Amino acid sequence: DAGVTQSPTHLIKTRGQQVTLRCSPKSGHDTVSWYQQALGQGPQFIFQYYEEEERQRGNFPDRFSGHQFPNYSSELNVNALLLGDSALYLCASSLGLADYNEQFFGPGTRLTVL
Amino acid sequence: QQPVQSPQAVILREGEDAVINCSSSKALYSVHWYRQKHGEAPVFLMILLKGGEQKGHEKISASFNEKKQQSSLYLTASQLSYSGTYFCGTEKGGKLIFGQGTELSVKP
């Protein structure tokens, strides 16, 4: 049973560039949430996708956008990168939107903006 | 509103017990607990729901006080493998808001 997978593992970009991160959810899961984790901090919720629509969004600017595909995989796009966007980006999958469903996290993508 | 965890860090010897607390200024519907080891993804430990229901690992125990808007994670007879950063998360409709984390180090 494949868990949550993310690609790439590491990425280095320069300020102003754009980046796309990818996530495949755990088998059987239909909901994908994205989190940003700065060094020494807890994960910060970016947004959540269910049925190919953005269902909830955290306090992130419009530079952060996403997409969910019919096979439930998801992409996170960040435009006009800033130095402060350097972080570990985590994808988590779950089944549905209920409060009591555990989220399974992927290994993350480490983004460095120079 | 981000939940507040205490303590920020704790050092234990193998076999000792620890309690990690999580407090919220908002009404809690559910509290999720995760452990993250350095360089790895957070791993699910437990969910506590309003009304007393729990889902999680048998060796982990936790409490959820709805009136006080608090949850506590109890780690008993700690093992080296318990080391890591523990996060509580409060949830509404799948949106998890995590605390700042509690770093736990278990020494031999």
Side-chain angles (χ1 to χ4, degrees):
Chain A
D1 179 22
V4 179
T5 60
Q6 292 186 243
S7 63
T9 306
H10 295 86
L11 206 51
I12 299 175
K13 292 284 188 179
T14 56
R15 279 180 298 176
Q17 285 189 310
Q18 178 263 344
V19 67
T20 297
L21 311 181
R22 295 176 176 83
C23 171
S24 291
K26 180 178 167 62
S27 177
H29 284 182
D30 56 7
T31 304
V32 173
S33 301
W34 286 92
Y35 295 84
Q36 180 195 67
Q37 186 175 27
L39 206 59
Q41 302 293 319
Q44 300 285 314
F45 178 80
I46 302 175
F47 43 53
Q48 177 192 71
Y49 278 85
Y50 174 70
E51 293 185 338
E52 301 181 49
E53 289 189 10
E54 183 181 295
R55 296 290 175 161
Q56 296 212 58
R57 190 177 182 93
N59 294 327
F60 280 81
D62 292 344
R63 297 187 297 110
F64 290 77
S65 63
H67 188 78
Q68 186 179 35
F69 300 93
N71 66 353
Y72 308 121
S73 67
S74 177
E75 287 182 351
L76 163 66
N77 301 293
V78 186
N79 295 322
L81 285 167
L82 304 173
L83 295 179
D85 294 333
S86 294
L88 179 68
Y89 288 84
L90 295 163
C91 163
S93 74
S94 57
L95 182 61
L97 299 174
D99 291 347
Y100 49 78
N101 290 333
E102 62 223 65
Q103 296 192 18
F104 289 81
F105 282 82
T109 294
R110 173 71 63 188
L111 173 65
T112 302
V113 182
L114 302 176
Chain B
Q1 204 79 357
Q2 184 182 35
V4 176
Q5 291 184 230
S6 63
Q8 289 188 347
V10 59
I11 299 174
L12 298 175
R13 292 285 180 192
E14 260 187 304
E16 292 182 336
D17 302 337
V19 179
I20 301 173
N21 300 303
C22 175
S23 298
S24 175
S25 59
K26 286 191 166 184
L28 295 176
Y29 296 92
S30 67
V31 178
H32 295 224
W33 286 96
Y34 287 80
R35 177 174 61 215
Q36 185 176 31
K37 293 183 181 285
H38 183 69
E40 299 181 9
V43 172
F44 168 76
L45 294 176
M46 176 165 283
I47 295 175
L48 299 107
L49 304 172
K50 197 173 180 180
E53 187 178 346
Q54 297 184 7
K55 289 174 58 175
H57 296 274
E58 293 178 2
K59 295 186 178 180
I60 302 280
S61 65
S63 64
F64 182 16
N65 188 322
E66 297 168 30
K67 282 188 177 179
K68 291 186 177 180
Q69 295 167 191
Q70 290 178 348
S71 176
S72 296
L73 187 70
Y74 303 98
L75 301 166
T76 57
S78 59
Q79 304 171 21
L80 295 176
S81 62
Y82 287 11
S83 293
T85 302
Y86 289 76
F87 293 100
C88 70
T90 55
E91 180 174 10
K92 184 64 177 172
K95 174 181 176 179
L96 268 176
I97 307 299
F98 285 98
Q100 80 280 17
T102 295
E103 188 171 355
L104 180 75
S105 297
V106 181
K107 308 288 186 185

